[in-house]
């Protein structure tokens, strides 16, 4: 998108600053302006204002005035009274709410945070500007008397009474401290004061200006009064503004990242991204970093969203869940734990533990894991450190917040997490915050359960912000309030739908606008008005702006921000143009076309060096090769097989294995059922079934349902076996392994059962599936190699599945000649392995039914090269000819 200059009808940002500079210099002669104070909305404004003063003064040297934000100026004022930390006040209020039991079902820590915010606003809303404790007490009493006879709803009365009760004591909270500092500044006013603003100030700050103006000169430069009376109407005032409507979060992020790259290519070196939607901002940032464009961040991220806090959360979650295996592995895979170990050593340790616990099926319990690794030297010490650290955080007891924090810090030291965190800037700040909170709360004697403390800690991490100052980039994230009086080369307003602009003011979960209004506090409407003014100021000072928003989300239409919708409507009415950005769509389409072109040529089809081609394959590996050659490559050559899951309940696979075990044991005891009373056989089979299921019955109540499911099929199975024997078939052996040498490869496996009928042999494979599912497996000759391989290994002329499902037992046999099918399968395997040794490619060409449940789909990335996929032309998975078609 080519930026369009706004034209002469809009003053350049330098003109605004020059206008201010002329006004100041007209009243205060240069070169010495040190007797003047200028209040700025942010420190970024100091440089362009200083440049304007130098430019207008036309002096070789100038002693600049004091240029400062109101907050910084207030911080320069010393106070006699001590300050109470927010963490102390939060703990005190929480204890009161817990004691009174007014909100037993509520998240009291969240409510505490919102109440403290309201208390600060009530303090700032006092009609006076008290400069000391006595004056503040008088102002509070005056406010209290004024409210006593006022009809307030319950929530408003509760907030007001709690605020009133917490204003006792000599210690100052942040709101009172700010209030007193401003009072002292106003009382000592001597220097002339100039103020730059784009939107309204709160009641306290306006009261400060009024009192300051009683003693010294005050002049306000309000951008709302300096710009056109109607910012929407000028015919060319919006020439540099465009609005991109995206159909998804991904499209919005891609469009935003693309525009930033285009701006950089044009030479723009000061690009602001005003992120209204933080989710879109995260995705956009990832796309920019993929394109090697770093982004600085003025806004920052809460500690709760950072990986350093994840290390704490994983540790405390594992502890609370009694080291549930997923939580334990998540903890040990953190890069921060056992940081003194070499990374390779730590990874090997975690991998070994994961293999053990998955193999042994240990679900949870630190003591169980410790017993599991008793003979594993590399794992004993880490497990001992986990036990030691867990002992420091006694979940069954109540402690003060300070004691909990002390125990947490000690446990982090034992686990080496503190070392890992100290190697990271955000980690260092996190460790400092934990230490600070511990010191601040040393005097708080409230007792808290482990879960209460965890919720407190989570909230603390969600309110503390980390800013990475190490990145110096022409592209920066910022927020709308931080753009006041600032001009950039280009501005991106990201995520400007009606849900995000205006954004919701902090708080409001428990106490709504009605409560705020009755207490004379700022409402949501006032907050929105300030955002509207800041937005208009940003558009006034910047002539290259792209707005992005999602017009659809999950198939539902969304609305553009009402502020921007009004601008679009006015502009369309005046100029016949709704400000829509269309050029980016062409760029995105071209980029997508290039990506598709590259991905189509990237369909994986690797070759294998002859020396690593397996000399032996299992039947499951052969099935994998037929289903998808790339699946065979990933599973059996790269050995990327998924680790077994730790089973927490009985699954269909367990049921099938138990049925196999039951029938093996039963037929070893009773090779024939004919000649035995039916009642005796039924009782024997049921007793064996109970014995095989006994361990599952002891640990999982649901095992009874699986046993009942099998019992439903017992009569049908005994009848099928009797009919089978009546046809002359006799049970011979079960679970017999084979390892058959073919030309250039060995085939190995294990059959469920072998029956004989005179000289004839038949291999059987038990399946706890319906007969229709099994028939589908056998539709294409050679599609499923299992029966054919069993028949080949045992030189059997017959093979079949035994379907045991839903109280029915049926024999499902291939429609083709089994002996011929066995021979063809063996030859195909020999030819396939020879081809692989000869450098044949192993393409990812499985059909959708195969890919749907394939754990290697994330490796082959099917879906990114879908066109052309699924064509089964590799030769490895071509169907075998039907019987009678020949063996060509």
């Amino acid at each position: 998108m080519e930026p369009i200059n706004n034209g002469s009808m809009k003053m350049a940002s330098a003109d605004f600053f020059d206008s201010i500079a002329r006004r100041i210099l007209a009243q205060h002669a240069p070169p010495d302006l040190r007797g003047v104070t200028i209040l700025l909305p942010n420190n970024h404004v100091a440089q362009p204002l200083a440049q304007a003063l130098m430019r207008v003064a036309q002096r070789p040297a100038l002693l600049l005035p004091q240029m400062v934000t109101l907050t910084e100026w207030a911080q320069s004022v010393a106070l006699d009274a001590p300050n109470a930390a927010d963490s102390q006040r939060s703990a005190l209020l929480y204890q009161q709410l817990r004691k009174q039991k007014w909100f037993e079902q509520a998240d009291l820590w969240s409510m505490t945070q919102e109440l403290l915010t309201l208390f600060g606003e009530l303090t700032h809303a006092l009609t006076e500007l008290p400069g000391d404790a006595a004056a503040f007490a008088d102002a509070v009493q005056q406010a209290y008397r004024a409210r006593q006879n006022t009809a307030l709803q319950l929530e408003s009365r509760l907030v007001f009474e709690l605020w009133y009760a917490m204003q006792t004591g000599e210690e100052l909270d942040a709101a009172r401290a700010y209030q007193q500092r401003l009072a002292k500044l106003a009382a000592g006013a001597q220097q002339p004061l100039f103020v730059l603003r784009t939107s309204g100030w709160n009641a306290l700050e306006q009261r400060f200006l009024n009192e300051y103006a009683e003693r010294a000169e005050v002049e306000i430069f309000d951008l709302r009064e300096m710009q056109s009376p109607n910012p929407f109407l000028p015919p060319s005032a919006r020439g540099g503004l465009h609005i991109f409507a995206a159909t998804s979060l991904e499209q919005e992020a891609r469009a935003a990242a693309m525009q930033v790259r285009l701006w950089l290519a044009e030479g723009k070196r000061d690009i602001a991204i005003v992120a209204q939607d933080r989710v879109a901002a995260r995705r956009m940032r990832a796309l920019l970093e993929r394109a090697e464009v770093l982004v600085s961040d003025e806004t920052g991220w809460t500690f709760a969203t950072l990986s350093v806090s994840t290390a704490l959360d994983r540790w405390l979650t594992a502890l609370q869940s009694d080291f549930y295996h997923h939580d334990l592995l998540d903890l040990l895979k953190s890069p921060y734990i056992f940081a003194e170990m070499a990374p390779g050593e730590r990874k090997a340790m975690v991998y070994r533990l994961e293999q053990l616990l998955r193999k042994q099926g240990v679900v949870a319990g630190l003591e169980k894991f410790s017993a599991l690794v008793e003979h594993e030297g590399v794992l004993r010490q880490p497990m001992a450190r986990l036990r030691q650290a867990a002992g420091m955080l006694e979940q069954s007891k109540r402690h003060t917040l300070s004691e909990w924090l002390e125990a947490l810090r000690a446990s982090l030291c034992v686990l080496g997490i503190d070392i890992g965190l100290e190697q990271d800037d955000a980690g260092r700040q996190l460790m400092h915050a934990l230490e600070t909170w511990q010191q601040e709360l040393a005097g708080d004697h409230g007792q808290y359960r482990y879960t209460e403390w965890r919720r407190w800690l989570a909230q603390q991490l969600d309110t503390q912000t980390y800013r990475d100052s190490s990145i110096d980039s022409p592209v920066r994230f910022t927020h709308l309030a931080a753009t006041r009086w600032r001009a950039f080369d280009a501005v991106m307003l990201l995520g400007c739908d009606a849900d995000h602009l205006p954004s919701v003011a902090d708080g409001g979960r428990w106490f709504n606008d009605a409560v705020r209004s009755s207490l004379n506090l700022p409402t949501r409407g006032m907050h929105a008005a300030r955002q509207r003014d800041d937005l208009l100021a940003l558009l006034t000072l910047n002539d290259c702006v792209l707005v992005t928003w999602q017009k659809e989300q999950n198939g539902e239409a969304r609305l553009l921000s009402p502020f921007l919708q009004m601008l679009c409507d006015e502009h369309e009415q005046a100029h016949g143009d709704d400000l829509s950005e269309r050029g980016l769509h062409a760029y995105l389409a071209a980029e997508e076309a290039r990506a598709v072109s590259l991905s189509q040529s990237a369909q994986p089809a690797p070759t294998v060096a002859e020396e690593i081609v397996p000399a032996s394959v299992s039947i499951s590996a052969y099935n994998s090769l037929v289903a998808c050659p790339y699946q065979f490559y990933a599973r059996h050559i790269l050995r990327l097989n998924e680790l077994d899951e730790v089973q927490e309940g009985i699954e269909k696979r367990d049921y099938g294995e138990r049925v196999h075990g039951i029938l093996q044991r039963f037929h070893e005891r009773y090779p024939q059922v004919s000649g035995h009373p039916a009642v005796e056989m039924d009782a024997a089979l049921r007793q064996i079934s109970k014995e095989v299921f006994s361990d599952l019955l002891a640990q999982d109540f649901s095992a009874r349902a699986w046993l009942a499911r099998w019992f439903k099929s017992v009569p049908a199975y005994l009848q099928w076996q009797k009919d089978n024997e009546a046809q002359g078939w006799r049970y011979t052996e079960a679970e017999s392994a084979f390892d058959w040498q073919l030309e250039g490869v060995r085939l190995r496996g294990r059959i469920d059962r072998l029956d004989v009928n005179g000289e004839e042999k038949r291999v059987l494979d038990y399946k706890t599936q319906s007969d229709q599912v099994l028939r589908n497996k056998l539709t294409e000759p050679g599609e499923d190699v299992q029966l054919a391989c069993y028949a080949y290994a045992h030189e059997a002329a017959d093979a079949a599945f035994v379907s045991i499902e839903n109280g029915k037992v049926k024999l499902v046999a291939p429609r083709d000649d089994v002996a011929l099918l066995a021979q063809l399968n063996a030859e195909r395997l020999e030819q396939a392995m020879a081809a692989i040794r000869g450098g044949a490619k192993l393409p990812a060409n499985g059909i959708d039914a195969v890919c749907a449940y394939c754990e290697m789909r994330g490796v082959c990335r099917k879906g990114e090269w879908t066109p052309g996929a699924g064509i089964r032309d590799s030769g490895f998975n071509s169907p075998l000819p039907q019987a009678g078609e020949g063996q060509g």
Side-chain angles (χ1 to χ4, degrees):
M1 179 185 73
E2 289 294 326
I4 305 173
N5 192 282
N6 273 7
S8 59
M9 293 197 64
K10 176 178 171 185
M11 293 176 64
S13 61
D15 292 339
F16 282 106
F17 287 111
D18 286 353
S19 175
I20 295 170
R22 281 191 293 270
R23 181 65 179 167
I24 294 172
L25 292 171
Q27 301 177 45
H28 304 278
D32 191 352
L33 300 177
R34 289 177 295 176
V36 173
T37 297
I38 304 176
L39 285 184
L40 308 176
N42 55 73
N43 286 319
H44 298 281
V45 182
Q47 183 179 359
L49 182 55
Q51 291 171 344
L53 288 168
M54 294 289 292
R55 188 166 51 245
V56 174
Q58 295 183 340
R59 294 289 188 97
L62 198 65
L63 296 175
L64 292 171
Q66 175 183 225
M67 292 185 284
V68 66
T69 65
L70 184 57
T71 303
E72 291 173 339
W73 198 19
Q75 286 296 323
S76 68
V77 177
L79 296 176
D80 297 329
N83 285 6
D86 289 343
S87 59
Q88 294 172 313
R89 300 181 69 245
S90 176
L92 178 62
L93 180 57
Y94 178 87
Q95 291 168 47
Q96 288 299 316
L97 292 176
R98 186 175 62 179
K99 179 180 178 181
Q100 296 299 332
K101 298 182 179 179
W102 288 327
F103 306 99
E104 290 188 79
Q105 304 302 317
D107 178 359
L108 292 187
W109 283 121
S110 174
M111 181 175 288
T112 295
Q113 188 68 28
E114 188 173 331
L115 280 170
L116 289 177
T117 300
L118 288 171
F119 292 168
E121 293 182 20
L122 279 168
T123 298
H124 287 174
L126 292 174
T127 56
E128 304 294 331
L129 192 61
D132 55 33
F136 178 76
D138 289 342
V140 170
Q141 284 296 333
Q142 182 181 348
Y144 187 70
R145 285 193 297 271
R147 289 290 178 187
Q148 272 188 317
N149 299 321
T150 305
L152 295 177
Q153 57 178 298
L154 176 62
E155 292 88 347
S156 303
R157 177 64 63 186
L158 171 65
V159 172
F160 190 76
E161 294 289 345
L162 283 171
W163 168 76
Y164 178 73
M166 290 195 69
Q167 303 316 308
T168 59
E170 296 297 321
E171 288 189 327
L172 302 177
D173 58 40
R176 286 174 60 183
Y178 186 49
Q179 185 183 61
Q180 288 195 19
R181 288 188 170 103
L182 291 184
K184 289 182 180 294
L185 284 175
Q190 294 179 346
Q191 296 182 333
L193 181 64
F194 296 91
V195 181
L196 276 69
R197 68 185 184 189
T198 63
S199 53
W201 282 14
N202 64 37
L204 171 66
E205 293 166 341
Q206 188 60 50
R207 200 171 299 118
F208 157 76
L209 282 184
N210 295 341
E211 294 198 11
Y212 195 102
E214 294 175 1
R215 299 174 178 84
E217 175 192 356
V218 174
E219 184 167 353
I220 298 173
F221 298 101
D222 193 325
L223 195 59
R224 293 172 294 180
E225 300 170 2
M226 299 172 68
Q227 61 180 315
S228 168
N230 189 338
F232 298 109
L233 288 179
S236 60
R238 302 300 164 192
L241 171 66
H242 294 86
I243 298 176
F244 181 89
T247 56
S248 66
L249 171 68
E250 182 66 17
Q251 188 186 54
E252 181 181 17
R254 287 178 55 226
M258 172 64 75
Q259 183 61 75
V260 168
R261 289 159 54 197
L262 291 172
W263 279 336
L264 289 171
E266 293 167 6
K268 298 185 185 301
R269 288 297 173 263
D270 189 9
I271 300 171
I273 303 168
V274 182
Q276 295 297 118
D277 183 345
R278 298 296 278 177
V279 176
R282 278 185 175 275
R283 180 57 183 151
M284 176 192 181
R285 183 173 194 157
L287 291 172
L288 286 173
E289 290 180 349
R290 183 186 297 176
E292 300 183 348
V293 177
L294 295 180
V295 182
S296 62
D297 196 341
E298 296 177 356
T299 304
W301 301 87
T302 63
F303 273 102
T305 64
L306 302 179
S307 60
V308 291
S309 296
T310 304
L312 267 63
D313 182 67
R314 288 180 179 180
W315 162 230
L316 297 176
T317 299
L319 186 67
Q320 190 169 349
S321 68
D322 191 25
F323 295 90
Y324 176 64
H325 65 283
H326 281 307
D327 296 334
L328 175 60
L329 291 173
D330 283 346
L331 170 64
L332 295 178
K333 289 175 182 178
S334 166
Y336 298 102
I337 193 170
F338 303 137
E340 74 283 355
M341 296 174 65
E345 181 184 359
R346 187 169 64 243
K347 288 179 181 178
M349 176 267 294
V350 176
Y351 181 69
R352 179 57 185 152
L353 176 64
E354 187 167 11
Q355 284 184 312
L356 280 173
L357 68 88
R358 291 183 186 278
K359 182 178 180 180
Q360 299 299 325
V362 180
V363 176
L366 192 55
E367 294 305 318
K368 294 179 180 178
F369 290 123
S370 297
L372 183 67
V373 305
E374 186 176 353
H375 302 294
E376 299 283 338
V378 70
L379 295 175
R380 281 202 305 271
Q381 185 186 26
M383 205 58 61
R385 291 169 68 177
L386 282 170
R387 289 201 307 274
Q388 180 186 354
M392 295 174 172
L393 290 159
E394 302 174 280
Q395 298 182 68
S396 60
K397 298 182 180 179
R398 292 173 178 255
H399 298 284
T400 67
L401 294 176
S402 182
E403 289 169 345
W404 279 119
L405 287 167
E406 181 181 15
L408 171 63
R409 293 175 62 212
S411 69
L412 297 180
C413 183
V414 169
L415 296 174
I417 293 178
D418 62 332
I419 297 174
L421 293 177
E422 288 294 340
Q423 296 171 2
D424 183 285
D425 182 56
R428 286 191 293 272
Q429 291 192 33
L430 175 59
M431 292 297 292
H432 177 71
L434 295 176
E435 182 181 8
T436 300
W437 295 332
Q438 181 185 338
Q439 294 170 353
E440 290 174 351
L441 293 163
D444 176 64
H445 302 295
Q447 299 287 309
Y448 303 86
R449 298 187 303 273
Y450 177 81
T451 53
E452 288 180 295
W453 168 69
R454 275 208 69 186
R455 286 197 295 272
W456 171 85
L457 181 61
Q459 180 166 285
Q460 289 294 104
L461 295 174
D462 202 35
T463 56
Q464 297 293 311
T465 302
Y466 168 74
R467 294 180 179 85
D468 187 353
S469 58
S470 65
I471 297 176
D472 183 17
S473 171
V475 184
R476 71 185 76 190
F477 278 125
T478 189
H479 57 282
L480 193 55
T483 66
R484 293 166 184 163
W485 276 98
R486 294 172 70 181
F488 305 91
D489 289 348
V491 175
M492 173 82 64
L493 282 161
L494 186 69
C496 293
D497 55 80
D499 292 335
H500 292 96
L501 182 65
S503 62
V504 178
D506 292 339
R509 178 181 176 188
W510 304 105
F511 305 103
N512 57 25
D513 265 8
V515 175
R516 288 178 160 274
S517 181
S518 65
L519 294 172
N520 292 331
L521 297 179
T523 61
R524 182 175 299 182
M526 299 175 188
H527 179 72
R530 181 174 295 188
Q531 291 184 72
R532 179 201 61 213
D533 293 340
D534 288 336
L535 173 65
L536 293 179
L538 178 64
L539 297 178
T540 298
L541 293 173
N542 293 272
D543 59 9
C544 181
V545 180
L546 176 69
V547 173
T548 70
W549 69 293
Q550 293 178 57
K551 65 179 181 181
E552 294 177 18
Q553 187 176 55
N554 300 325
E556 295 186 5
R558 306 175 81 194
L559 298 176
L560 179 63
S561 163
F563 304 151
L564 292 163
Q565 188 63 59
M566 184 185 301
L567 188 152
C568 291
D569 293 344
E570 295 279 3
H571 195 272
E572 185 172 20
Q573 184 176 3
H575 307 291
D577 175 17
D578 64 358
L579 300 175
S580 293
E581 206 309 304
R582 298 176 178 85
L584 271 179
H585 286 286
Y587 280 109
L588 292 176
E591 184 181 56
E592 187 172 346
R594 286 195 299 270
V596 169
S597 175
L598 290 173
S599 65
Q600 285 180 340
S601 63
Q603 179 175 352
T607 59
V608 182
E610 184 175 359
E611 60 270 18
I612 63 172
V613 175
S616 171
V617 296
S618 64
I619 291 179
S620 64
Y622 185 12
N623 248 335
S624 180
L625 178 62
V626 172
C628 173
Y630 188 86
Q631 183 190 84
F632 171 80
Y633 169 76
R635 281 181 180 174
H636 303 286
I637 296 178
L638 297 183
R639 300 186 182 280
L640 299 179
N641 305 57
E642 283 188 320
L643 292 171
D644 292 335
E645 286 293 330
V646 175
Q647 290 187 219
E648 302 174 48
I650 300 174
E651 300 174 355
K652 181 73 178 290
R653 181 181 61 180
D654 304 307
Y655 170 66
E657 290 174 352
R658 298 297 163 136
V659 169
H660 280 64
I662 289 167
L663 294 177
Q664 180 187 6
R665 191 180 300 185
F666 175 75
H667 285 297
E668 285 175 350
R669 187 179 303 175
Y670 300 101
Q672 283 186 247
V673 299
S674 303
H676 297 278
V679 174
E680 178 188 346
M681 292 295 94
D682 186 276
L685 185 52
R686 290 177 184 272
Q687 180 58 37
I688 291 172
S689 301
K690 292 177 182 178
E691 293 170 2
V692 172
F693 267 87
S694 61
D695 60 327
L696 295 180
L697 293 169
Q699 62 182 321
D700 192 335
F701 186 80
S702 67
R704 299 173 185 275
W706 289 104
L707 181 59
R709 179 175 178 172
W710 160 241
F711 278 165
K712 186 178 179 181
S713 298
V714 164
Y717 179 80
L718 290 172
Q719 183 60 51
W720 173 84
Q721 177 61 24
K722 186 179 294 186
D723 294 342
N724 193 50
E725 292 173 4
Q727 295 171 18
W729 292 103
R730 298 290 180 268
Y731 169 88
T732 303
E733 59 182 274
E735 298 299 326
S736 56
F738 64 86
D739 191 345
W740 197 270
Q741 180 64 56
L742 304 178
E743 184 178 340
V745 64
R746 298 188 69 85
L747 179 65
R748 64 183 188 277
R750 180 184 299 272
I751 67 163
D752 288 350
R753 169 172 167 175
L754 177 66
D755 281 8
V756 297
N757 187 353
E759 297 297 320
E760 295 182 46
K761 295 181 181 178
R762 180 172 66 182
V763 291
L764 298 176
D765 190 50
Y766 300 125
K767 296 291 184 183
T768 53
Q769 295 173 302
S770 70
D771 60 313
Q772 187 57 53
V773 170
L774 297 175
R775 289 186 210 286
N776 292 340
K777 279 189 174 187
L778 301 176
T779 300
E780 288 286 347
E783 186 81 14
D784 187 280
V785 304
Q786 194 172 16
L787 289 179
C789 289
Y790 288 160
Y792 187 87
H794 287 273
E795 299 179 323
D798 202 358
F801 291 124
V802 180
S803 167
I804 305 174
E805 179 70 358
N806 199 29
K808 300 177 182 177
V809 178
K810 295 183 178 181
L811 204 66
V812 181
R815 292 174 300 179
D816 304 277
D817 183 284
V818 171
L820 176 59
L821 200 60
Q823 181 62 36
L824 292 174
N825 256 292
E827 291 175 0
R828 180 174 60 177
L829 178 60
E830 292 172 341
Q831 294 165 5
M833 297 307 293
I836 294 173
R837 285 193 298 271
K841 293 183 177 181
L842 297 170
N845 62 0
I847 60 173
D848 290 342
V850 170
C851 298
Y853 301 100
C854 179
E855 76 280 13
M856 298 304 162
R857 184 162 184 159
V859 183
C860 81
R861 303 182 70 82
K862 181 177 181 180
E864 295 192 10
W865 44 265
T866 299
I871 300 173
R872 301 167 65 75
D873 57 1
S874 65
F876 300 124
N877 43 22
S878 300
L880 294 176
Q882 301 279 351
E885 292 182 4
Q887 302 180 33

